[in-house]
Amino acid sequence: MNRYWRLLILLMQFVIVSSTFAQGFDTEQWMMGLEDDMLVSSLSIPGAHDAATGEGVCLFPGLGVTQTLDLRELWSCGVRAFDLRPAVRDTLLYIYHGRLRTKISFTEALDIIKVQLDSFPSEFAIVLLREESDSEDEEERALWPSLVGRSIKEMADKAAAFSPGMKLGEVRGKVIFLTRSSYIGADKGAYVSGWNHSGDGAADACITSYANGKTARLQVQDYYAPTDSKKRAAKKSVVNKYLAMAHDAPAEVWTVNFLSGYSTTWLGCTSLATTSGYKRNAEWLHSYVLERLKNDKRPVGILMMDYAGVDRVGGGLWHWKPFQVCGKEIVRAVIDCNFNSVK
């Protein structure tokens, strides 16, 4: 009798855990419910645009801040793709957004991600890299490739060797580095070419492995300045286009689709990346995408967003009411796509 009771209890625990993963509730380790043989490129992964701005910034916070949660909190809410943009300052790497320096170094950011991977070994992380060179002088720009390469090499077995058909079981507990700016001294990660910021995106960008030179096709949309009604319509259209492309592409094709952007002009004429502008863009675009995700559970690829993990953020310059950004809901909706579709 005791044996049957034990079996019944185990069965009940399995049902509860399976239900939790299927609904995306256990956001700290939601990948535990996925099969090892799933292609990484086929997964739906929520990501944070300029993820480190939630750690705080060193100058005026009314410009360039795209997150309110810090890196640990972003992980806890389910984010697994982190847009980190290191720049050299006094021979050290700090995370920037344009000329805006955040209050965290590249090493500190990677250490936070490593701790999460140690705590939740079922998971992996993607780090989207690019050199944020606006604040650098020539000497600092010359140091960037080797300093970043050294940081990735120091990750040791926590850094994944990229391959086009890499599977989930191969990368659990690791970081996949995808960089738009080449680094040297490390054979982990991959270099991305063909990325652009046009209203059409780049349907045939390329990811090239540092380990063996093998390539994968990347579909990427990163149109970031929808500052008037015509441009907002273009942003909505191209986001839709890349959602459909992610649905329809072969499983080995990678997709990165940026919801992020700023929808503000300064004094009605000059485009400026204000914090309120990012909030405004998230408010009008996230609600639309969320409804689409609720009604269509097919794969969406890597979906990068502002204000991930929070549904409401405070107002700002020229806008005193809170913004309804749906960032917590949309992260969970992206995760849920992994349990409701097969690609």
Side-chain angles (χ1 to χ4, degrees), residues 203-222:
D204 291 298
C206 183
I207 306 174
T208 303
S209 171
Y210 273 106
N212 55 31
K214 292 184 178 179
T215 61
R217 182 162 74 88
L218 169 67
Q219 308 175 147
V220 58
Q221 181 280 126
D222 188 10

Side-chain angles (χ1 to χ4, degrees), residues 85-90 92-96 101-106 108:
R85 305 183 182 187
V88 180
R89 182 183 175 91
D90 299 328
L92 297 175
L93 290 167
Y94 290 90
I95 309 297
Y96 278 73
R101 182 160 69 93
T102 71
K103 294 182 179 180
I104 191 168
S105 71
F106 187 47
E108 290 168 334

Side-chain angles (χ1 to χ4, degrees), residues 68-113:
T68 59
L69 301 186
D70 63 28
L71 294 175
R72 293 178 186 86
E73 292 168 330
L74 287 170
W75 177 283
S76 293
C77 81
V79 167
R80 293 296 179 269
F82 301 87
D83 176 21
L84 300 178
R85 305 183 182 187
V88 180
R89 182 183 175 91
D90 299 328
T91 72
L92 297 175
L93 290 167
Y94 290 90
I95 309 297
Y96 278 73
H97 182 192
R99 291 184 174 273
L100 188 70
R101 182 160 69 93
T102 71
K103 294 182 179 180
I104 191 168
S105 71
F106 187 47
T107 298
E108 290 168 334
L110 295 183
D111 285 344
I112 289 169
I113 294 172

